[in-house]
Amino acid sequence: MPSLADSTGFTVNPQTLIYPSGNFPASPAQPDELGMLLTAADQFGMQVYVGSLQTYGVWSNGDEFDALHKYDPIVAREILARYGSHPSLNSGGGNWYFSHELWLNWVKFYGRTYYGVRELETYVRQMKALSAQARVIEAPVFKKTRSARMPGLSSKEAGTFLAVLVSRSRVDIVAPQDGAGAQAGAPAVSELADYYSGMRAALEASIASGNVQLWTTTETFAAAVTGTESADGWQPAPVARIHRQIASEAPYVSQMIQFMYGWDMSPEATYTPVEADTLRAQYSREGSGLTSLATGAVSYSISPSRSYPDIVPSKLTNGTGGGFRQSLAADWVGFAGNPTGAVTVTVDLGGSRTFTGVRALFAGSTMSGIYFPREVAVEYSGDGGASWSSLGGATTQSVGIDTPPLYAVGWVDATSSTPVVATQVRVTVNFYEWLFIGEIKVMDL
């Protein structure tokens, strides 16, 4: 970030770091998100690649480069000293991701003097100076179609200029972004096999490329109609398209990165949590097409707020929305507790259904007086509501997540170890002040 106190005109903003830095202290101290992530990754045998610093603006002059050259090693050295014992950080060697997007099209235009390649070369050299075992990954962009001065790339040219980038920078891993999500001049999904086979062949033929690994960055989102990020963020891609991408790229790469989980498939970190949750279920079950059984009538023990009413078909079973970038009135059913309250939501399943789990989506934003539930109880009935049984054995469960100051969403699950048969389910929620419910899903989880 710009700083008059820094001779380069830049310094490191401690609020942008994901660990409590001694070199760049924040007030209050930054939470140790990196330590938490590495600890979890150790448990699952994963490898974590930590992103390099990014500049405040465009690469317009040498000031940005000077700042990167100065501060990247300082931050990386501190990370190695603090977290180097983690196996997920290459056991002291360090795993690093050069977070700046380099375009193979500009490698073609500028040749070996392209400043982006030079910066990657500098970063690799600096990380290797900290540890000879360091591994560096770059995720370059390639476009088939030309744009203004930028030339297009054939599948053969993509391989040629990827080899140039690798041979000059000495990077360890390249994971080209397949462009299927962003589109905007990228090859069609049907052409990806030609591009990745061309890149694999070029790297194998280039002695200067050494032992570089070819991965892929598989884009699991769908571009907005305008070709840019919409107000609702990138939407999750259909799982059938993702399967075509994987089939096209897998024969030529050793690893696949999904870009990006937070928007596309994480039900807690997306603008479209309902669609993302469905995509995640399909993805994990290899495209099973799993859908919610909750499609019948919805009723409430107390009426929703007039400002946030339900509609027909119900917002809670329509399988869409739930993102806070969208309209609260359009996607959420709201209840006012003043200051506490409780509501029971009953969903008719339209007949006898077999399932093992119920998921309910809630919103939270303390700055707006919206809180996650205090407790949630899920029950089911097989006799039209004459009698009810608790799902999962417990009568109630705590949400177990803190309500954030800004907008966020959170799912609450109730599951049974064995399938149950029912015609209705009901979800009883105890809450503070405002409660917003976005979806209830009844599924064989």
Side-chain angles (χ1 to χ4, degrees):
M1 301 292 286
S3 171
L4 296 177
D6 191 324
S7 61
T8 66
F10 291 81
T11 193
V12 174
N13 179 357
Q15 302 295 338
T16 65
L17 299 177
I18 60 172
Y19 70 98
S21 171
N23 293 321
F24 308 101
S27 181
Q30 287 290 90
D32 192 7
E33 296 173 342
L34 180 55
M36 178 179 65
L37 177 64
L38 293 171
T39 299
D42 291 343
Q43 296 172 359
F44 289 96
M46 301 174 70
Q47 291 290 297
V48 173
Y49 287 76
V50 181
S52 63
L53 298 176
Q54 294 191 354
T55 52
Y56 176 73
V58 298
W59 289 1
S60 57
N61 57 47
D63 289 347
E64 293 94 335
F65 299 144
D66 290 343
L68 290 175
H69 301 167
K70 176 180 179 179
Y71 292 118
D72 267 325
I74 293 174
V75 172
R77 186 180 297 109
E78 184 176 43
I79 289 174
L80 286 178
R82 187 182 297 248
Y83 305 102
S85 62
H86 285 274
S88 55
L89 197 60
N90 195 13
S91 297
N95 293 322
W96 310 105
Y97 165 53
F98 188 69
S99 58
H100 307 274
E101 289 188 341
L102 304 183
W103 290 45
L104 300 182
N105 304 68
W106 291 121
V107 179
K108 175 182 177 181
F109 184 85
Y110 290 107
R112 298 179 65 88
T113 61
Y114 174 40
Y115 57 83
V117 178
R118 185 184 67 239
E119 289 306 303
L120 176 59
E121 178 186 18
T122 300
Y123 183 74
V124 171
R125 184 174 63 251
Q126 289 180 323
M127 297 304 104
K128 299 284 186 181
L130 295 176
S131 172
Q133 286 72 48
R135 294 183 295 218
V136 180
I137 184 172
E138 159 64 6
V141 176
F142 62 95
K143 299 292 184 181
K144 174 184 177 181
T145 306
R146 65 174 292 119
S147 175
R149 297 175 62 203
M150 186 190 78
L153 289 177
S154 66
S155 57
K156 182 177 180 180
E157 288 176 322
T160 298
F161 295 106
L162 180 64
V164 170
L165 181 149
V166 167
S167 63
R168 169 154 184 197
S169 67
R170 313 308 297 176
V171 70
D172 300 283
I173 305 164
V174 282
Q177 302 175 43
D178 68 9
Q183 299 176 13
V189 173
S190 60
E191 299 173 296
L192 289 175
D194 290 337
Y195 275 83
Y196 278 87
S197 63
M199 289 187 283
R200 164 58 62 194
L203 292 178
E204 291 179 347
S206 173
I207 298 177
S209 296
N211 296 319
V212 66
Q213 297 181 45
L214 177 62
W215 296 8
T216 181
T217 303
T218 305
E219 297 180 351
T220 56
F221 57 86
V225 175
T226 59
T228 60
E229 183 182 355
S230 70
D232 299 330
W234 300 105
Q235 305 297 299
V239 72
R241 196 203 78 189
I242 298 173
H243 279 295
R244 292 198 302 273
Q245 292 170 253
I246 292 173
S248 298
E249 300 161 21
Y252 310 105
V253 301
S254 55
Q255 298 285 349
M256 308 187 83
I257 300 172
Q258 179 200 296
F259 183 78
M260 70 171 301
Y261 186 87
W263 280 336
D264 310 331
M265 290 171 63
S266 170
E268 272 80 36
T270 178
Y271 301 133
T272 51
V274 178
E275 294 89 339
D277 188 57
T278 300
L279 177 64
R280 185 183 65 157
Q282 294 175 341
Y283 191 82
S284 62
R285 293 167 181 259
E286 299 181 340
S288 64
L290 188 65
T291 57
S292 174
L293 303 174
T295 57
V298 177
S299 59
Y300 303 93
S301 61
I302 60 175
S303 298
S305 164
R306 292 182 180 179
S307 300
Y308 306 100
D310 201 359
I311 57 177
V312 178
S314 174
K315 299 175 186 176
L316 304 194
T317 58
N318 61 7
T320 63
F324 256 116
R325 287 287 185 93
Q326 300 168 1
S327 168
L328 281 175
D331 294 305
W332 297 87
V333 180
F335 300 88
N338 293 322
T340 61
V343 60
T344 296
V345 183
T346 303
V347 181
D348 191 297
L349 302 182
S352 183
R353 300 287 187 266
T354 302
F355 57 92
T356 57
V358 173
R359 307 200 77 195
L361 178 68
F362 300 97
S365 172
T366 55
M367 64 175 282
S368 301
I370 304 170
Y371 291 83
F372 286 135
R374 299 168 60 195
E375 291 181 323
V376 178
V378 180
E379 301 166 288
Y380 64 94
S381 174
D383 54 14
S387 61
W388 293 89
S389 300
S390 175
L391 183 66
T395 55
T396 60
Q397 67 180 103
S398 298
V399 173
I401 50 178
D402 295 329
T403 304
L406 299 177
Y407 297 136
V409 300
W411 292 89
V412 174
D413 294 347
T415 59
S416 172
S417 58
T418 58
V420 300
V421 180
T423 58
Q424 292 178 309
V425 298
R426 70 183 185 187
V427 179
T428 300
V429 185
N430 293 319
F431 63 94
Y432 297 103
E433 296 192 25
W434 278 98
L435 173 75
F436 281 90
I437 308 176
E439 192 82 3
I440 293 178
K441 305 177 77 171
V442 180
M443 309 179 76
D444 180 4
L445 300 175

